């Protein structure tokens, strides 16, 4: 069984949304010292096209050209009380590895005592029949560095000389933007909502200024910091403005951020990872406390993700 850190369910503390900690934190390594050696065909990635956290790992897999080394399958974007489901539908399919009907079965197979919320992405090991890791930031780095023998070693999204700055940018972006939209959307008090949404837009304003000269967040080339921000920005006008009440401004009101997103969408293979239908149907049909009717809005008419999709 894979060892795991203590898991805490999503909750609210004085109205503030507090995210559950990822439970499975093992690592794939080149030398196999972790017990999970990097091998082509051994690992499988379970993802949702709707989820920004899973989207990060899909992007790294694509950029590193690991499609033949690490297989991937997509869950139904509509998640009910039973959690993420496999099945036949537009953009998702049955589980080709284990025949699971629900992703929760992978969690129970890895830890029969697991009782927290089931999340994506999941990196699964076919050999041991267990989850290696379900923390997106760690899976990104494994795909970036541990599978170079099977992918493109010239792509390095976490270069050693930029790591301190990347980590600093990631920390701010995670707290106020990536998780910030959720902290605003799931706040259960006015004060908690105002705290989150104010911090979110303060960061977006700073990012707009940081990108005023074009280019990337850190250094002269695209790094993981850009892709971690991108998966939130590409969903912003589609779902976060309305569904999560992040409506002080829209992304299209930030010309530098819009141009930045479009440059990233133009990277070969990236637009195909963005599925606006999965994104909208997941958010608007999965959170009954926020949208009891389950009605999915038709708009917006213009958004950066309109260049993605199928």
């Amino acid at each position: 069984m894979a060892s795991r850190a203590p898991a805490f369910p999503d909750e609210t503390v004085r109205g503030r949304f507090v995210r559950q900690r990822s439970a499975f934190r093992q690592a794939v390594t080149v030398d196999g010292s972790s017990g999970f050696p990097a091998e082509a065909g051994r690992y499988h990635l379970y993802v949702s096209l709707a989820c920004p956290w899973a989207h990060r790992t899909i992007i790294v897999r694509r950029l590193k050209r690991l499609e033949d080394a690490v297989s991937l399958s997509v869950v139904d974007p509509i998640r009910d009380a039973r959690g993420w489901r496999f099945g036949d539908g537009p953009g998702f399919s049955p589980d080709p590895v284990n025949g699971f009907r629900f992703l929760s079965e992978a969690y129970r197979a890895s830890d029969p005592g697991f009782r927290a919320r089931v999340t994506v992405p999941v990196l699964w090991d076919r050999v041991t029949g267990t989850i290696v890791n379900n923390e997106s930031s760690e899976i990104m780095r494994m795909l970036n560095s541990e599978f170079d023998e099977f992918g493109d070693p010239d792509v390095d999204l976490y270069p050693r000389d930029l790591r301190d700055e990347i980590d600093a940018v990631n920390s701010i972006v995670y707290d106020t933007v990536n998780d910030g939209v959720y902290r605003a959307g799931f706040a259960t008090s006015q004060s908690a909502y105002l705290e989150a949404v104010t911090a979110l837009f303060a960061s977006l304003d700073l990012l707009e200024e940081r990108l005023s000269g074009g280019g990337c967040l850190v250094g002269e080339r695209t790094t993981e910091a850009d892709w971690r921000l991108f998966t939130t920005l590409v969903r912003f006008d589609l779902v976060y403005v309305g569904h999560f009440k992040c409506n002080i401004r829209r992304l299209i009101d930030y010309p530098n951020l819009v141009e930045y997103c479009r440059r990233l969408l133009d990277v070969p293979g990236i637009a195909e990872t963005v599925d606006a239908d999965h994104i909208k149907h997941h958010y608007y049909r999965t959170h009954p406390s926020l949208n009891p009717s389950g009605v999915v809005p038709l708009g917006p008419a213009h958004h950066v993700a309109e260049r993605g999709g199928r």
Side-chain angles (χ1 to χ4, degrees):
M1 179 192 305
S3 65
R4 61 186 186 90
F8 303 97
D10 296 337
E11 57 182 347
T12 54
V13 177
R14 290 187 293 276
R16 295 184 179 93
F17 171 78
V18 179
R19 182 170 295 280
Q20 167 183 299
R21 287 176 58 186
S22 299
F24 297 89
R25 309 296 286 271
Q26 296 278 56
V28 175
T29 54
V30 172
D31 62 8
S33 59
S34 63
F36 297 98
E39 298 173 358
R42 174 166 176 166
Y43 301 98
H44 186 77
L45 197 57
Y46 289 118
V47 300
S48 164
L49 299 181
C51 172
W53 316 103
H55 192 184
R56 303 168 162 190
T57 65
I58 298 170
I59 287 172
V60 177
R61 175 178 175 266
R62 179 67 57 87
L63 294 174
K64 292 289 292 187
R65 299 181 181 177
L66 290 171
E67 290 91 338
D68 293 333
V70 180
S71 55
L72 176 146
S73 57
V74 178
V75 295
D76 185 341
I78 311 302
R79 190 186 69 215
D80 61 19
R82 297 169 296 178
W84 297 106
R85 181 185 76 90
F86 299 99
D88 280 308
F92 63 96
S93 60
D95 172 22
V97 177
N98 298 294
F100 293 145
R101 293 182 59 238
F102 292 92
L103 189 57
S104 59
E105 296 171 54
Y107 278 74
R108 288 197 299 270
S110 304
D111 178 2
F114 185 84
R115 294 292 180 270
R117 184 170 60 86
V118 171
T119 62
V120 288
V122 163
L123 186 64
W124 175 267
D125 178 24
R126 286 180 168 90
V127 173
T128 61
T130 193
I131 294 172
V132 178
N133 198 291
N134 72 329
E135 168 52 50
S136 64
S137 62
E138 294 174 3
I139 296 173
M140 287 179 74
R141 291 187 180 172
M142 285 179 237
L143 296 175
N144 179 63
S145 63
E146 305 303 316
F147 291 87
D148 279 353
E149 180 181 353
F150 315 109
D152 186 348
D154 293 330
V155 174
D156 184 4
L157 301 174
Y158 192 52
R160 190 168 299 277
D161 60 319
L162 297 177
R163 288 182 181 179
D164 288 347
E165 189 174 359
I166 290 171
D167 289 345
V169 170
N170 284 347
S171 178
I172 295 169
V173 169
Y174 172 79
D175 285 338
T176 60
V177 182
N178 299 145
D179 203 45
V181 293
Y182 287 86
R183 296 179 192 185
F186 288 114
T188 58
S189 71
Q190 190 67 29
S191 61
Y193 165 73
L194 291 173
E195 177 182 72
V197 81
T198 301
L200 165 64
F201 281 93
S203 284
L204 291 177
D205 291 345
L206 288 172
L207 290 165
E208 173 75 1
E209 176 62 26
R210 186 182 183 109
L211 293 164
S212 60
C216 303
L217 283 180
V218 179
E220 300 299 320
R221 61 186 188 274
T222 306
T223 67
E224 69 166 40
D226 297 294
W227 297 114
R228 286 170 58 124
L229 175 61
F230 170 79
T231 60
T232 297
L233 296 184
V234 81
R235 288 163 173 75
F236 201 83
D237 289 358
L238 278 174
V239 289
Y240 299 144
V241 168
H243 191 57
F244 280 173
K245 310 179 190 74
C246 300
N247 60 359
I248 295 177
R249 284 176 290 281
R250 301 162 299 170
L251 184 69
I252 61 171
D253 298 319
Y254 289 97
N256 296 333
L257 287 174
V258 168
E259 181 55 33
Y260 170 74
C261 273
R262 287 177 174 161
R263 289 197 303 272
L264 293 175
L265 277 167
D266 284 341
V267 172
I270 296 304
E272 291 76 17
T273 71
V274 180
D275 193 310
D277 286 339
H278 273 228
I279 292 167
K280 288 171 60 175
H281 280 80
H282 166 69
Y283 281 92
Y284 281 104
R285 295 181 61 187
T286 294
H287 306 135
S289 64
L290 302 183
N291 187 35
S293 70
V295 171
V296 179
L298 187 60
H302 302 291
H303 54 85
V304 294
E306 64 190 336
R307 296 171 65 169
R310 296 186 186 285

